Amino acid sequence: MALFTRKSTAAPTVTEAPAVDPALAALTGTYTLDPAHSSIGFTVRHAMVTNVRGSFGEHEGTLVVDGTDPANSSASIDVKIGSVDTGIADRDGHLVSGDFFDAEKFPLMTFRSTKAEQLGGEAYRITGDLTIKDVTRPLAIDLEFNGSATDVYGNERVGFEGSADILRSDWGLTWNAALETGGVMVSDKVKLTFDISAIKAAAPVA
């Protein structure tokens, strides 16, 4: 490869900026998560043979959507650990205990985005910091944009769904029990799932 070449006298090529989709541009704004129509959950292998699914019933968050430049979008989510629900009260009690989340000492799981990118079409990836039990590690969530709509109450909504795989031990969730037949009671790998409906905040009055 030539590091030095004769200077070209040709006029520089002007690269046109990509056209902005007016429909996406109209979505630009700040949105509040609607907990009644959103779900933040998880799936984890139990006893090596089946999956346990659960969700967190109490969460709040904010999405900042930039429809003209998705890279300027961001997300902030707080999840109340004590709201975990797997359908079995004893299991939920174990999850919020010191063996797992220690919800009394660490009541919140939080996510703060640091980067957003459009992967193509309706696919996006948002990267940020996930904090559990005062341990903060990076997490990338792949999302699909499900669309936008105005509901019967006049609220402008956007919807996203996505997932991410983590190793719970990376966040200090290490409790386990060995099985007589080999293996362990709870898998280290956990799949986090997100099904988000968010409502656009009213524009400030000038």
Side-chain angles (χ1 to χ4, degrees):
M1 180 177 68
L3 295 178
F4 301 95
T5 59
R6 187 165 58 183
K7 185 177 180 180
S8 173
T9 58
T13 301
V14 176
T15 302
E16 294 184 1
V20 175
D21 184 340
L24 288 178
L27 299 179
T28 298
T30 300
Y31 293 75
T32 300
L33 265 64
D34 177 6
H37 298 94
S38 300
S39 175
I40 297 176
F42 59 89
T43 303
V44 62
R45 182 76 66 169
H46 177 262
M48 308 295 291
V49 297
T50 190
N51 289 319
V52 167
R53 293 175 173 82
S55 62
F56 297 93
E58 297 182 40
H59 47 80
E60 59 184 23
T62 300
L63 304 179
V64 177
V65 176
D66 189 332
T68 62
D69 186 357
N72 292 328
S73 300
S74 63
S76 173
I77 301 175
D78 293 340
V79 177
K80 187 176 180 180
I81 294 296
S83 69
V84 66
D85 182 9
T86 64
I88 303 294
D90 287 347
R91 181 164 59 208
D92 297 342
H94 191 197
L95 287 173
V96 300
S97 74
D99 282 347
F100 283 95
F101 287 108
D102 197 359
E104 184 173 350
K105 186 176 180 181
F106 306 103
L108 293 178
M109 172 173 63
T110 66
F111 177 80
R112 301 289 184 266
S113 69
T114 56
K115 180 182 179 181
E117 53 190 321
Q118 186 173 15
L119 303 181
E122 307 299 331
Y124 295 82
R125 176 174 295 148
I126 190 160
T127 303
D129 295 324
L130 177 67
T131 300
I132 305 174
K133 296 180 70 173
D134 273 1
V135 176
T136 300
R137 296 181 63 89
L139 175 70
I141 306 170
D142 287 338
L143 297 167
E144 181 177 354
F145 176 53
N146 288 339
S148 62
T150 300
D151 66 24
V152 295
Y153 302 105
N155 297 313
E156 295 181 60
R157 292 178 177 269
V158 292
F160 295 88
E161 63 178 314
S163 63
D165 292 331
I166 68 170
L167 298 178
R168 61 188 178 90
S169 59
D170 286 344
W171 280 268
L173 302 173
T174 57
W175 183 91
N176 228 321
L179 302 175
E180 291 184 3
T181 53
V184 291
M185 181 69 75
V186 185
S187 171
D188 190 23
K189 181 180 178 181
V190 179
K191 182 176 184 178
L192 302 178
T193 56
F194 305 86
D195 199 344
I196 301 298
S197 178
I199 298 173
K200 191 175 187 178
V205 178

